[in-house]
Amino acid sequence: MTSVTGLPGLTLICLCTQLLGSRAASSASTSLWGKKLPFRARPCMWQLRRGAVLPELEELSACMLLNRSHGTGWTGFDCKPPGGGLTVLGLEGTGTQLSVWLFGEKHNLARGLKLNEWHTVCLTWSGRARRLRVYVNGTSEYAASVGPQLPRRLALNGTLTLGQSHFLNNQGEVQPESGTDLLGEIGLFRMWAREWSGEELSGRSCADGDVVRWDLSQWIHSCPPEPDHRLQCAWSLYRVNVWTFKVNSTQPGNCSLSLEAVTRNWLESIFPPSISVRNILVSSPSRNCGVVDNSTALPAQQYEESRGLSNSDCDKCFSCEFYVKVDPAANVDVVQASMASLLGSTFSHGLTADPHSISVLPVEFLPAGTEPPPTVSSGAQTLETSPAANPTNMSSPVRPDTFFRVNLTLHVYGSPTNLKNTIKKWVKKELEVNGTMIVLNLIIKENVGRYYCTFHVQEYGQNSLAEIEALIAAALTSGCEIDSIVIQTTDVAVKHIVPANCLEETTSTFYGTYIWPEAFPQVNQEMGCREPKSERAFRLCALDIETDTSSWAKPDMKQCKPLVIISDLKNITVTTGNAAEVVDVIRDLVDAQLGESAELTSSQLDTVVAKLGEVVDISSITPAAGAGIVNIVADILVSKTHVAPLAGILLNLTDRMGNDMDFPDESISITAPSMALSMFNVGQKEFSGLTYGVSFVSPDLNPEVFFNHDVVDERLPGTNATICLPSELKDFLPSGERNTTRVQFQFYGTDDLFQDPEVTNSSSWTLNSFVVSASINHSRISNLKEPVVVCLSHRTIKQPEDRVQCMFWDFLKNGGRGGWNGAGCETRSISAYESSCLCDHLTHFAVLLDVSRTHIGAAQGLILTVISYLGCGISSIFLGITLLTHLAFEKLRRDYPSKILINLSAALLGLSMLFLLDSWLSSFSNYGLCIATAAALHYFLLASFTWMALEAVHMYLALVKVFNIYIPSYIVKLCALGWGIPLVIVSLVLAVDKDAYGSIAPQESAETLPSAEQFCWLQDDIFFYVTVVAFLLLILLCNSSVFVVVMIQIRQMRANKQSTSSLSSLHDLRAVVSLTVLLGLTWSIGFFSFGPGKVFMMYLFSIFNSLQGFFVFLFHCVMKENVRKQWRIFLCCGRFRLSEYSNWSRSATAGCKKDRPVHTDSGASDNTSSVRKVSDSSSGSTPEHHQGA
C-alpha cells in the first residue's frame, strides 16, 4: 500500500470538506479506510450485521491485514453456517503455525507471522476446481485440493466475526468463544465473490470487496476503530452510488435534457479537474424516492419534503451510479469524505444527493462500457442494480457451457461464387437464431461434389442434452435455398463433448509475469496489465477442433506495455519457440519508442536490426512473423531514423525473410505503409512469364498489389510500378517440385534505403520514381536476351527538356554501401508521367531524373499563372478601349498605321480572351469544344504575330523605302495576309490530324502558358514546333532585323536635324520601347529561358507578353496627342472639353483630308502612330513620303 501525504489535486475537495458541515460528512464517516481494529486485553468483537448478507458462494477470495502483538493463539476471522456448527471458513494460528478452516477441515501451514509487523493474508477457494490457496505477503504459501465429499458452495446467510471465534446460542445470537482472541490489530478485511489469482490479488491492494466491504455500516462492534496513517491506501478508481434529487427547478428547458446529461453537467460542475466522471447510469425518475436501507427511509422522505419537490415530470428523484478516476491517486478515506461532501451540496444545476445514500467504493478497474441503467421499482421503491453491482447476482453459481461436435455432409446445387461463405452464413443463421448457441471453429472441405463441414456448438441456455442434440439436428436437416443455390443435408452427426478447463498457468513474458487463473472452455480470461494498471490483458481458453480439447491461446497483450526497452533485446535469446513472440515485442518496443521520439538512435537501430537478423536465421518465418518484420522495417523507414548505414543489411534481411518464409499457398503478399513484399512459388514447366504491379497512394497507407501470370510489357492500369519477367527466366529455374523455386518482388515507397553518396552530393540527379525489385532464390540472373520490362511512374512530372535514366541498385558500389548503376538497362521515355526500362538482369530498379536544368517549382508556377491571367485580363480591357477609340473616332483611322493597329489589337484581344477562357472551356470535357478552342487559340496566336510582321513591313516601307510606292488595295491585301495565313495553317493542321489539338496537362504545353488546370492546346510536338515555334521564330527574326534598321534610320534623322533638345534621349528611349512592344520582340524572351536565369526570364516573359495589350494602349492612345484631343472633344465636359473646330483640331487632321496616295510623316507628324513618332509634334515636321493607295 502506498501512503499519500501530498494531494495537490484534491486541495479544493479538502477545503470543501471542512466548509460544508457535518451533514454530508456523516455519510462518509462509516468508511474504515485508513483505520484499524484494535484487539487488546478487554473483550472486543466485530460481527457482520444481519443486513449484510453473506451470499451463497461457489468461489471466493478473502484478504486482511494482521498485526500480532502477543505470541498466543489467535483468530483472524471466523465464518459459520446458519444455525451454527463447524467453521466453514476461517483463519487462525499460533506463533509458529497458520491454519485455515474450510467446511470443518483444518489446513495447517508451517508458517508463522512475526510479532509487531503488518502481514497481508489472503485465501482463495474454488468449489468447481475444489482448490484452496493461501497467500502471505503476496507469496503463495499453500495450495491444496479439497475432497469431493465437501460442499461446493458456501451456505447463504452465514455469520462472520473478526478477531474472535464465535458460536450461536439457542436464540440464534452470536456469542464469543474464549481462548482464541486475537491480541493485536486487524485492517482492510474484504471478501470477493470470485477466486482471484495471486497476480490479481497483488493488483487489488486498494479495491474494496463486492461481498464484504471495509465499511463500518456492515459491522456491529464492541470496540471502536482507530486511525492509523500506515494503513492509508492511495487509489484512483471509484464507483459511486447515490440517490439524487432535482430541486429548485426554475429552468423548464432543462427537462428536455436526458437525466444522464443533467447528471453529467452537475457532476462536472462540482468536481475539480482532478476527478473525471465515467459511465453514468441513472434510473427512471420517481416521485416517491427510495433509499439504500430502510433505516434511512424516513429521513430521506423528510429531506425530500423539505426540498419541496413538485409533482411535475421534471422535479423528481432518481438513483445514480457512476465511476470516477482521481488523478493523481489519493487516499481512499480522503476521497470518500470529500466526494460525500461535494455530492451533498446543491449547485446551479438544481441537483443534490441524499447524504445517507452516498456510497463511494474503490474498485479494481473501470467498466469497459456503459452497463444497462438501474431501475426503480414502483412498488417497494428499492433500487435494482445491474448484476455487476449486486453481490448476490455476482455470486450466483457459474457453470461451464455445453459443447457439441457436429459433422455435416452437404450437397450443393447451383453455381455459387463463394460457396464456403454461403454455407457458413447458413449454419450460423440456423443455429444462432435464438441467441443460446454459438458456432465455433467451422471447417469446410470439398470432395467429389460433396461438402463436409465440421464445427463446434457452444450452448449456454442450460437445456437438456437430448433436447439440444435434437434441436441442432432438426435445424441442419431442413436444408435451404439461397439465391438460386440449394443446400441439401445428407448426413448430420451431433456428439456431446466435455472439454476440460484450462488450468492455472504462470507465464513470464516481456510484459511481466502473469498468473492466469483456471478458466472454462471458450472463456476469455481477463487480467490487469502490469503497465499501465488501467489496461487489461486477455487470454482465451480455446477449444481445438481437431482434438476437442481446450488449451490456453496466446495472450492478447495489445493494451499492455512491455517492461523492457530496446537495449534489453540484447539479453534475449531467440529460439524457434519464441521467434514470433520476439518479433511482436520488437514491434511494440519500436512503436513505443517512435511514439515518444521521431526516430531511433543509431544504437537502437543496430539492436533492432541485429535481433531481427537472429529471428530470420534461427528458423523458417511464418506469415504472421513475416508481417511483423515488414511492419517494423516500414515503421522505421517512415520515421526520421537515419537508416543509410544499415541499408544493405536491411535489404538483405527482407530478401532472406522472403526466401525462407513458409506459406501453404502458391503466393503471399505482405504490405505495410510504404512497403510491399510478394512471394510466388513457381515451377520450371509451368512458368511462362509473370507481371507484378503496385499501386501506391500515400506513405501512410499500405500499397495495393496486382499480378498477372502473362507477360505484360506496359504499366498495369492504376499502378505506380510494374515489373514484367520474361518467359526466358524458366531456363534459370531449377527443375524439380513447384515449391522449390521462389520469385520474390519488393516495393519501396521511400528512398531512405537507397542513398547513393554520388547522387546525394550531386545537384544533377535525383530519384524520380519508387523502387521495385525482383529476385529468384539461390539464383543470379543476368545477360537475359528477353529484357525485364520495368514501367515506373514519375514522382515529378518530366519537363520537355528533362532527361531520365533507368538504373539499378548496385550493392557493390561505394565500398559495399551501394549506389545507382545504369549498366544493362535501356531507358524508354513513354511520356512526361512514366518511363519504361528494359534490363537484362534482376535487382532493384528505379528512374533517376537529371535536374541540372533549372525547373520551375509549384510555387513559382502558381505565381507565373496568376501573373499571366492578371496581365491578360488587363490587356483585354485596354485592347477593347483601344479598338473602341479608333472605331468610334473616324479621324483616328484615316491613315494606314491606324488601320494596321486596329487589326493587331483585334488579334491580340482574341488571343487574350481565349487564353483566359481556355481552362474553363476545357473543364466541360467536350471533345469537339476543346478542339475548337485549341484551334481558335492557335489561330489568334498566329494572327497576332502575322500582324506584328505586317507592322514591321509597313514600317520598313515608310522609313527605309522613303520614295512613293503605289500598292493598289494596300489595306485589303494586308488583311488578306494578316488573317489568311493563320487560317491556312490552322486549316492544314485540322485537315492532316485534328487530334493534334486536345486537352493536355500544363506541364506538357509550352511553359509560356503556365496553369494548374487542363488546357486545350496543341498536343502534338511536331505540329507545335513547326507551326508555332518555327513560325514565331521566323517572324521574330524578321521583326528584329526591321527594328535594327528602323532604329538606325531614326538615329540618322535625329543627327541630320542637329537637335539640341534635352529631351532627345527620353524620346529615343520611348521610341525603342514602343517599337519593341509593337513588333512583339518581348516574345523572344521565351527562347532564352534556360539555365540558371530561367526563372527570372520566365517572369519577364509572363509580365511583358501578358501586358502587351496594355502597352499598346499606353503608347498608341494615352501617349498619342491626337487621340487625347479626340477624347477631350467628345468625352470631356466643362473646361476640359475641347472644341471640335479649334485650331489644333484643324491642323491635326490637315494631312488626312483627301482620299489619295497617303503621305506618311515618319518623323513627328501626328498623322502616324506613336510607334513611328519619335518626338512630339512640337519638334517639327519632316518631308512627306507618299504611298499610293
Side-chain angles (χ1 to χ4, degrees):
M1 288 177 291
T2 304
S3 176
V4 178
T5 58
L7 301 174
L10 291 178
T11 302
L12 175 61
I13 301 179
C14 296
L15 291 175
C16 293
T17 303
Q18 299 174 4
L19 296 175
L20 291 174
S22 61
R23 179 176 62 86
S26 62
S27 63
S29 62
T30 60
S31 173
L32 289 174
W33 289 87
K35 298 178 181 179
K36 62 184 178 182
L37 311 183
F39 294 87
R40 300 188 175 94
R42 61 186 178 88
C44 180
M45 186 175 70
W46 282 68
Q47 172 190 341
L48 191 68
R49 287 181 181 272
R50 291 187 179 274
V53 178
L54 274 180
E56 188 179 40
L57 298 175
E58 194 172 358
E59 59 180 33
L60 61 82
S61 298
C63 287
M64 65 186 308
L65 293 178
L66 278 170
N67 183 12
R68 299 171 53 241
S69 58
H70 293 77
T72 59
W74 52 272
T75 298
F77 70 91
D78 182 30
C79 180
K80 286 188 167 57
L86 296 176
T87 299
V88 294
L89 188 68
L91 177 66
E92 63 181 34
T94 62
T96 59
Q97 180 175 285
L98 190 148
S99 301
V100 175
W101 286 92
L102 181 64
F103 296 115
E105 287 189 354
K106 189 175 183 180
H107 300 262
N108 297 319
L109 288 73
R111 170 72 158 82
L113 301 181
K114 293 183 179 180
L115 298 178
N116 300 315
E117 290 185 11
W118 282 102
H119 301 275
T120 302
V121 181
C122 297
L123 60 90
T124 64
W125 165 72
S126 171
R128 299 190 309 273
R130 299 192 174 278
R131 178 177 54 229
L132 173 68
R133 286 194 174 96
V134 181
Y135 300 86
V136 179
N137 297 329
T139 303
S140 177
E141 298 286 350
Y142 182 80
S145 298
V146 298
Q149 73 281 1
L150 296 180
R152 294 186 56 179
R153 298 177 189 171
L154 196 68
L156 180 66
N157 290 329
T159 56
L160 175 65
T161 56
L162 299 180
Q164 194 171 36
S165 60
H166 67 279
F167 68 93
L168 298 181
N169 60 17
N170 295 332
Q171 288 75 33
E173 296 175 348
V174 175
Q175 299 294 325
E177 287 184 346
S178 60
T180 59
D181 299 350
L182 171 68
L183 293 179
E185 300 162 336
I186 290 178
L188 288 182
F189 180 85
R190 295 155 295 163
M191 185 180 293
W192 296 270
R194 185 187 155 183
E195 181 197 28
W196 298 116
S197 66
E199 179 77 15
E200 292 170 314
L201 287 173
S202 63
R204 286 160 176 75
S205 59
C206 295
D208 215 338
D210 54 13
V211 175
V212 178
R213 306 194 310 270
W214 192 233
D215 192 278
L216 194 61
S217 62
Q218 289 196 323
W219 299 93
I220 299 173
H221 56 91
S222 59
C223 52
E226 296 178 356
D228 190 333
H229 69 277
R230 294 174 298 174
L231 302 184
Q232 288 181 333
C233 193
W235 201 245
S236 296
L237 310 178
Y238 297 85
R239 185 182 74 238
V240 183
N241 292 88
V242 64
W243 272 96
T244 309
F245 298 99
K246 182 79 174 177
V247 298
N248 298 332
S249 179
T250 59
Q251 300 177 1
N254 288 341
C255 296
S256 62
L257 296 175
S258 65
L259 287 179
E260 290 88 345
V262 174
T263 304
R264 180 173 292 278
N265 293 337
W266 169 54
L267 295 174
E268 291 179 350
S269 68
I270 66 175
F271 288 156
S274 59
I275 299 179
S276 57
V277 181
R278 316 282 180 88
N279 299 79
I280 298 177
L281 309 174
V282 298
S283 68
S284 301
S286 172
R287 295 189 183 94
N288 299 318
C289 300
V291 291
V292 174
D293 64 45
N294 294 333
S295 64
T296 58
L298 182 58
Q301 294 172 4
Q302 293 173 349
Y303 179 73
E304 177 183 349
E305 294 171 359
S306 68
R307 287 294 186 181
L309 269 77
S310 69
N311 292 326
S312 69
D313 291 335
C314 185
D315 292 335
K316 293 179 179 178
C317 58
F318 55 91
S319 63
C320 175
E321 176 182 292
F322 58 92
Y323 291 79
V324 298
K325 182 175 182 179
V326 179
D327 188 16
N331 291 336
V332 173
D333 55 331
V334 174
V335 174
Q336 289 176 328
S338 303
M339 292 187 67
S341 296
L342 292 173
L343 290 170
S345 303
T346 302
F347 287 82
S348 59
H349 289 79
L351 291 182
T352 190
D354 175 20
H356 302 281
S357 68
I358 298 173
S359 171
V360 182
L361 299 179
V363 294
E364 56 268 21
F365 55 84
L366 297 178
T370 304
E371 297 181 7
T375 59
V376 175
S377 172
S378 59
Q381 296 88 34
T382 57
L383 178 64
E384 296 179 4
T385 62
S386 62
N390 191 329
T392 303
N393 290 337
M394 288 189 65
S395 61
S396 59
V398 181
R399 299 183 179 89
D401 297 331
T402 308
F403 293 90
F404 298 86
R405 180 185 182 90
V406 181
N407 293 312
L408 188 65
T409 305
L410 302 174
H411 268 299
V412 179
Y413 303 94
S415 301
T417 56
N418 193 342
L419 181 58
K420 292 185 178 181
N421 189 49
T422 302
I423 295 176
K424 181 179 180 180
K425 289 182 178 179
W426 169 66
V427 171
K428 284 183 170 290
K429 178 183 177 182
E430 293 296 330
L431 297 181
E432 297 180 356
V433 62
N434 294 325
T436 61
M437 295 185 189
I438 299 177
V439 177
L440 306 170
N441 307 324
L442 177 60
I443 297 177
I444 303 174
K445 295 181 180 180
E446 181 183 5
N447 187 12
V448 195
R450 293 189 177 186
Y451 292 88
Y452 300 91
C453 306
T454 302
F455 55 91
H456 289 138
V457 175
Q458 180 180 3
E459 202 277 340
Y460 48 90
Q462 301 298 328
N463 298 315
S464 66
L465 297 179
E467 182 180 357
I468 299 172
E469 291 179 357
L471 183 63
I472 295 174
L476 297 177
T477 303
S478 59
C480 74
E481 182 176 351
I482 305 175
D483 298 333
S484 72
I485 302 171
V486 178
I487 300 177
Q488 181 179 348
T489 304
T490 59
D491 183 50
V492 179
V494 183
K495 176 185 177 183
H496 175 234
I497 60 175
V498 186
N501 295 346
C502 294
L503 301 179
E504 180 179 292
E505 182 176 280
T506 301
T507 59
S508 296
T509 68
F510 304 110
Y511 302 91
T513 301
Y514 292 80
I515 304 175
W516 298 96
E518 182 178 352
F520 291 135
Q522 288 301 127
V523 169
N524 203 18
Q525 195 63 267
E526 177 181 345
M527 294 187 65
C529 294
R530 302 284 284 184
E531 288 292 338
K533 299 291 186 181
S534 57
E535 299 298 337
R536 315 294 294 167
F538 304 92
R539 195 179 189 190
L540 176 66
C541 179
L543 184 60
D544 184 75
I545 188 64
E546 299 293 337
T547 62
D548 293 337
T549 60
S550 56
S551 60
W552 284 114
K554 180 182 177 181
D556 180 3
M557 315 297 292
K558 294 178 181 178
Q559 300 180 15
C560 305
K561 289 185 178 180
L563 302 182
V564 297
I565 58 177
I566 291 180
S567 59
D568 296 330
L569 292 174
K570 298 178 181 179
N571 303 323
I572 297 174
T573 301
V574 181
T575 64
T576 56
N578 71 351
E581 185 180 358
V582 171
V583 172
D584 292 340
V585 171
I586 295 176
R587 185 176 181 183
D588 292 338
L589 293 176
V590 170
D591 289 343
Q593 178 63 29
L594 294 179
E596 298 174 358
S597 175
E599 62 182 358
L600 299 181
T601 64
S602 58
S603 61
Q604 291 174 334
L605 180 63
D606 291 340
T607 301
V608 169
V609 174
K611 195 57 61 176
L612 290 178
E614 291 182 25
V615 172
V616 173
D617 293 336
I618 199 68
S619 63
S620 61
I621 303 300
T622 63
I629 294 175
V630 171
N631 277 276
I632 293 170
V633 176
D635 290 343
I636 295 174
L637 292 181
V638 298
S639 69
K640 296 182 180 180
T641 304
H642 182 55
V643 298
L646 298 180
I649 298 177
L650 280 172
L651 291 173
N652 181 265
L653 173 70
T654 55
D655 187 67
R656 288 188 291 121
M657 182 200 71
N659 289 334
D660 296 338
M661 185 175 295
D662 185 16
F663 55 91
D665 299 325
E666 177 183 305
S667 64
I668 188 173
S669 294
I670 300 174
T671 60
S674 299
M675 191 174 173
L677 269 74
S678 296
M679 283 69 70
F680 295 83
N681 291 328
V682 299
Q684 185 186 41
K685 295 182 180 180
E686 298 85 0
F687 185 82
S688 60
L690 187 61
T691 302
Y692 176 77
V694 179
S695 175
F696 182 63
V697 178
S698 168
D700 298 326
L701 301 177
N702 289 5
E704 188 175 359
V705 172
F706 306 89
F707 63 91
N708 193 324
H709 285 286
D710 297 325
V711 176
V712 181
D713 57 356
E714 61 182 12
R715 187 164 58 92
L716 294 178
T719 62
N720 301 93
T722 299
I723 182 169
C724 175
L725 304 184
S727 58
E728 182 189 352
L729 280 176
K730 68 185 304 181
D731 299 334
F732 293 85
L733 303 180
S735 59
E737 296 296 330
R738 179 181 180 84
N739 60 358
T740 58
T741 302
R742 177 164 299 174
V743 178
Q744 181 179 172
F745 297 97
Q746 296 187 14
F747 171 85
Y748 295 92
T750 175
D751 55 0
D752 289 351
L753 292 176
F754 306 94
Q755 297 296 314
D756 186 348
E758 295 181 3
V759 173
T760 304
N761 300 329
S762 171
S763 59
S764 60
W765 290 96
T766 183
L767 189 63
N768 196 37
S769 73
F770 302 117
V771 181
V772 64
S773 74
S775 63
I776 297 178
N777 62 335
H778 312 304
S779 299
R780 182 177 179 83
I781 310 299
S782 61
N783 300 320
L784 293 171
K785 296 179 180 179
E786 296 181 36
V788 177
V789 181
V790 184
C791 298
L792 297 167
S793 296
H794 297 161
R795 297 165 70 176
T796 301
I797 297 176
K798 184 179 77 69
Q799 303 300 327
E801 69 275 16
D802 287 341
R803 183 167 64 97
V804 296
Q805 183 173 348
C806 294
M807 295 190 180
F808 72 94
W809 187 252
D810 186 352
F811 286 89
L812 302 179
K813 197 174 179 181
N814 296 317
R817 295 186 60 181
W820 292 109
N821 191 335
C825 286
E826 177 186 347
T827 305
R828 292 185 179 179
S829 180
I830 299 176
S831 69
Y833 300 96
E834 65 175 298
S835 294
S836 177
C837 305
L838 306 180
C839 300
D840 63 359
H841 57 280
L842 296 184
T843 184
H844 299 76
F845 300 101
V847 170
L848 273 68
L849 174 69
D850 184 359
V851 294
S852 58
R853 300 175 177 88
T854 304
H855 292 284
I856 299 176
Q860 303 283 5
L862 179 61
I863 296 174
L864 290 171
T865 300
V866 173
I867 292 175
S868 299
Y869 279 109
L870 186 61
C872 287
I874 295 174
S875 292
S876 298
I877 295 173
F878 287 102
L879 284 170
I881 296 174
T882 301
L883 284 172
L884 289 175
T885 298
H886 286 81
L887 294 175
F889 304 131
E890 188 268 341
K891 293 181 179 181
L892 296 179
R893 62 177 188 271
R894 289 177 179 176
D895 58 357
Y896 293 156
S898 297
K899 293 177 181 179
I900 296 174
L901 178 66
I902 290 173
N903 285 276
L904 176 60
S905 299
L908 289 174
L909 178 62
L911 177 63
S912 298
M913 293 298 295
L914 278 170
F915 179 81
L916 292 173
L917 296 175
D918 195 303
S919 295
W920 176 65
L921 294 173
S922 67
S923 66
F924 290 99
S925 300
N926 186 298
Y927 177 70
L929 178 62
C930 189
I931 290 179
T933 302
L937 182 63
H938 189 199
Y939 174 78
F940 279 105
L941 177 65
L942 297 179
S944 299
F945 274 87
T946 304
W947 278 106
M948 293 177 201
L950 294 176
E951 275 280 11
V953 171
H954 178 75
M955 193 179 303
Y956 178 80
L957 294 175
L959 291 177
V960 180
K961 300 292 183 179
V962 295
F963 299 101
N964 293 336
I965 300 175
Y966 179 76
I967 302 177
S969 304
Y970 182 63
I971 291 299
V972 175
K973 292 177 179 178
L974 290 183
C975 288
L977 293 172
W979 299 109
I981 292 176
L983 181 62
V984 171
I985 295 175
V986 172
S987 299
L988 287 174
V989 173
L990 289 172
V992 174
D993 183 11
K994 63 178 175 41
D995 292 330
Y997 297 108
S999 180
I1000 60 173
Q1003 291 81 356
E1004 291 182 348
S1005 63
E1007 290 189 71
T1008 57
L1009 301 171
S1011 173
E1013 302 172 350
Q1014 292 293 313
F1015 201 82
C1016 292
W1017 181 235
L1018 276 167
Q1019 59 182 357
D1020 187 283
D1021 289 343
I1022 296 178
F1023 285 105
F1024 173 76
Y1025 284 110
V1026 172
T1027 64
V1028 176
V1029 176
F1031 185 83
L1032 268 61
L1033 181 60
L1034 179 62
I1035 290 179
L1036 289 174
L1037 288 174
C1038 295
N1039 287 7
S1040 299
S1041 301
V1042 172
F1043 174 80
V1044 172
V1045 173
V1046 169
M1047 293 308 300
I1048 294 174
Q1049 183 71 16
I1050 293 176
R1051 190 64 182 171
Q1052 291 176 351
M1053 294 171 59
R1054 288 289 186 188
N1056 293 335
K1057 293 176 61 176
Q1058 297 180 350
S1059 174
T1060 58
S1061 172
S1062 60
L1063 299 177
S1064 176
S1065 298
L1066 181 61
H1067 292 163
D1068 290 347
L1069 177 62
R1070 187 173 67 183
V1072 171
V1073 176
S1074 175
L1075 288 175
T1076 301
V1077 172
L1078 195 68
L1079 300 181
L1081 299 182
T1082 55
W1083 288 81
S1084 62
I1085 298 175
F1087 293 96
F1088 300 96
S1089 299
F1090 57 85
K1094 177 179 179 178
V1095 176
F1096 175 72
M1097 299 298 288
M1098 289 300 299
Y1099 273 98
L1100 294 181
F1101 181 90
S1102 298
I1103 293 172
F1104 287 125
N1105 293 327
S1106 64
L1107 291 174
Q1108 185 178 7
F1110 170 75
F1111 292 133
V1112 169
F1113 169 79
L1114 179 65
F1115 288 107
H1116 289 268
C1117 290
V1118 176
M1119 300 181 67
K1120 190 173 180 181
E1121 189 170 357
N1122 63 333
V1123 175
R1124 295 199 305 269
K1125 294 297 183 180
Q1126 291 296 310
W1127 285 345
R1128 291 183 62 185
I1129 291 172
F1130 296 100
L1131 301 180
C1132 295
C1133 301
R1135 64 186 183 91
F1136 297 102
R1137 182 180 179 84
L1138 186 68
S1139 173
E1140 185 177 1
Y1141 301 101
S1142 64
N1143 292 333
W1144 180 89
S1145 178
R1146 289 191 296 271
S1147 63
T1149 57
C1152 303
K1153 293 182 178 180
K1154 296 181 180 179
D1155 188 10
R1156 59 180 177 77
V1158 178
H1159 298 270
T1160 305
D1161 186 353
S1162 308
S1165 175
D1166 288 308
N1167 296 335
T1168 64
S1169 79
S1170 61
V1171 176
R1172 270 82 75 201
K1173 181 179 177 183
V1174 180
S1175 62
D1176 293 326
S1177 58
S1178 59
S1179 63
S1181 228
T1182 60
E1184 293 182 348
H1185 305 281
H1186 302 282
Q1187 296 185 126

